[in-house]
Amino acid sequence: MRRMNFTDTQVATSETARGINRGIVLNLIRRRQPISRADLARASGLQRSTVSLITEQLIRENWVIYGSTGRLPRGRRPTFLQLNERRAILVVDLRPSLTTIAVSDVNGRFLSKHEVPTPADPDAAANVFSAKLRQLIESHPDLMFEGIGISVPGRFDELHHRVLFAPNLKWPEFDLRGPLEKATGLPVEMENAANACVLAEVWFGQAELVRDLAVVTVSEGVGVGIFSGGRLVVGSNGMAGELGHIPIDADGPKCGCGARGCWEVYASNWAALRYYREASPAGADLTFKDLLALGEKGDPSARNALERQAHAIGRGMRMIVAALSPEEIVFVGEFTRLWDSLGALIVAEVKSAVLVGKPPRVRPAAAEPSVARLRGTVALVLQKHFGPYVALDKPKLVGGQYTQAAL
Ligand SMILES: [Zn+2]
């Protein structure tokens, strides 16, 4: 979220103001489509003439199209505007064993989805993904592709274009962006999976007006995405949020990062499977999905393993509450299917972690994990055009300065 100050340190050119207004209008159309120009003016606080200029430009650029015509009892019928669904984004959700490659429209609706086994190394992955992406582009000649978004189980260093620290993927540092841009001719945006889930909540979920949010993703590992003061926090090299690798017991089991007793070796899906195997050695081949199914049927060993995982997730919440004091904590993970029973254990831990004041709201994500990651990467590509994040409150111009509400 940009905070503009028109009087002190930053001189706003008319181009800057136009860019901000364009972002506000585009986001309003995205959130409230189909919407008339009159409603756009009312909701944005912009003048009708400004809204008309911006929408004409967006129509020329093929971002927006005319939709249905509204009906009023008398007078002119307003024409409603909506996003052009022929604008599309290619998205890749890179996971340690299986990768999903999908085509999404500008509204985050998936037009096709394919799974490929994740190749053993980055070079092979660049070849496999390039071929699949090119095939998808060719099979959708009616779509205008805007770019490619990739969610990775690691942290992305934007400055050096490399994926750093992907312990569960077991690849060395790599650059996937360069080869894929070369192969497809499209710009590639990459982001950590937990950060992608933050964007999914803010863009397509229920966290539209939340400014301080932590998203905890629980899968093979545990990742945290931080949205603070209306901005995604990435840190100096993209490594912010690696709370899953804070050791909570120096004598604990070995972690994929090389240390011992990290939070994620107690709280991940792999940890839950380890708890189950300790009690039932016959379950060596069980997947986490199988474990959940057993838990849903009331199998005592499975329930016990999942409850131990939930307690471990909850204990880590102390770090999150103390470090970030978020308004809301959102969980993304297959375990949220059993939220009715496991959620209470986590909520209790969060409550006990609060020193003063109200505890943060705690809830499972709006979308299931793979959809959240894919939608987040759609937002990653779109935010270049729509602006990083624009809340729907009206901007308040006070004494020549915008207050923080909308920008
Ligand atoms: Zn670790």
Side-chain angles (χ1 to χ4, degrees):
M1 181 180 287
R2 278 181 293 178
R3 192 179 290 195
M4 300 301 297
N5 180 328
F6 287 87
T7 54
D8 298 337
T9 53
Q10 193 174 358
V11 177
T13 61
S14 56
E15 205 176 324
T16 314
R18 261 203 305 275
I20 293 166
N21 291 340
R22 184 181 188 273
I24 289 171
V25 170
L26 207 38
N27 275 288
L28 276 170
I29 296 173
R30 181 173 73 80
R31 281 281 183 187
R32 298 193 181 176
Q33 60 189 323
I35 183 169
S36 68
R37 286 189 176 87
D39 284 340
L40 277 173
R42 260 191 295 277
S44 64
L46 295 168
Q47 288 184 352
R48 287 283 291 266
S49 55
T50 309
V51 167
S52 286
L53 279 175
I54 293 171
T55 51
E56 287 311 319
Q57 190 194 0
L58 292 172
I59 289 166
R60 276 199 307 277
E61 291 173 7
N62 282 315
W63 279 106
V64 168
I65 55 169
Y66 291 111
S68 55
T69 306
R71 288 187 184 279
L72 291 176
R74 298 181 272 150
R76 281 199 309 161
R77 289 175 174 182
T79 306
F80 289 94
L81 299 170
Q82 63 189 55
L83 295 185
N84 182 359
E85 288 176 347
R86 286 179 55 220
R87 278 217 113 108
I89 298 97
L90 289 155
V91 281
V92 179
D93 178 27
L94 173 57
R95 311 291 309 151
S97 50
L98 213 56
T99 293
T100 308
I101 302 181
V103 176
S104 166
D105 72 12
V106 72
N107 291 313
R109 267 194 297 265
F110 298 111
L111 308 174
S112 68
K113 238 193 247 188
H114 310 266
E115 284 187 336
V116 293
T118 301
D121 64 74
D123 290 337
N127 289 334
V128 171
F129 297 169
S130 296
K132 188 75 206 169
L133 290 164
R134 277 203 304 255
Q135 187 199 331
L136 285 172
I137 294 169
E138 280 163 22
S139 62
H140 290 93
D142 51 322
L143 299 178
M144 290 176 274
F145 286 100
E146 206 43 52
I148 301 169
I150 307 181
S151 109
V152 287
R155 298 282 165 177
F156 183 62
D157 181 353
E158 187 71 46
L159 195 64
H160 300 99
H161 297 189
R162 300 185 81 75
V163 173
L164 314 168
F165 192 68
N168 296 320
L169 194 56
K170 298 188 173 62
W171 288 0
E173 256 183 46
F174 60 96
D175 170 24
L176 202 53
R177 179 149 95 172
L180 292 186
E181 284 189 341
K182 217 169 142 193
T184 60
L186 290 169
V188 172
E189 304 291 325
M190 298 183 84
E191 191 48 275
N192 165 264
N195 289 350
C197 291
V198 170
L199 292 175
E201 279 297 323
V202 172
W203 275 65
F204 298 110
Q206 300 160 12
E208 191 185 336
L209 295 176
V210 174
R211 296 173 53 77
D212 292 281
L213 168 78
V215 171
V216 181
T217 58
V218 179
S219 56
E220 295 87 353
V222 175
V224 180
I226 303 165
F227 193 67
S228 179
R231 276 175 191 275
L232 192 62
V233 176
V234 293
S236 60
N237 59 354
M239 282 294 289
E242 281 305 330
L243 297 167
H245 293 285
I246 293 181
I248 50 178
D249 178 2
D251 298 321
K254 194 106 189 255
C255 176
C257 74
R260 282 190 175 278
C262 293
W263 176 31
E264 83 168 31
V265 300
Y266 299 102
S268 67
N269 293 352
W270 285 348
L273 288 171
R274 191 177 72 242
Y275 300 143
Y276 183 79
R277 281 196 304 271
E278 282 167 11
S280 317
D285 298 329
L286 217 66
T287 65
F288 188 71
K289 252 189 196 144
D290 300 333
L291 184 69
L292 278 179
L294 283 174
E296 273 170 328
K297 277 192 221 144
D299 176 275
S301 302
R303 299 241 21 133
N304 187 266
L306 291 164
E307 281 170 17
R308 280 179 72 186
Q309 180 193 18
H311 275 297
I313 293 170
R315 277 198 302 279
M317 291 302 106
R318 289 169 188 271
M319 295 188 277
I320 289 172
V321 174
L324 306 169
S325 183
E327 208 178 319
E328 188 163 63
I329 299 171
V330 177
F331 286 93
V332 179
E334 281 89 1
F335 83 96
T336 57
R337 256 173 49 199
L338 290 180
W339 187 258
D340 285 350
S341 51
L342 303 176
L345 303 175
I346 295 171
V347 169
E349 294 276 4
V350 170
K351 268 193 187 149
S352 71
V354 175
L355 298 171
V356 171
K358 258 180 30 183
R361 288 190 300 278
V362 178
R363 64 171 172 87
E368 58 124 335
S370 67
V371 172
R373 291 189 296 265
L374 288 169
R375 284 216 177 119
T377 56
V378 172
L380 190 64
V381 173
L382 289 181
Q383 68 177 2
K384 283 199 306 189
H385 301 279
F386 287 63
Y389 172 71
V390 180
L392 284 183
D393 341 10
K394 284 184 187 173
K396 296 177 186 70
L397 195 60
V398 180
Q401 291 186 14
Y402 276 110
T403 58
Q404 46 77 31
L407 303 177

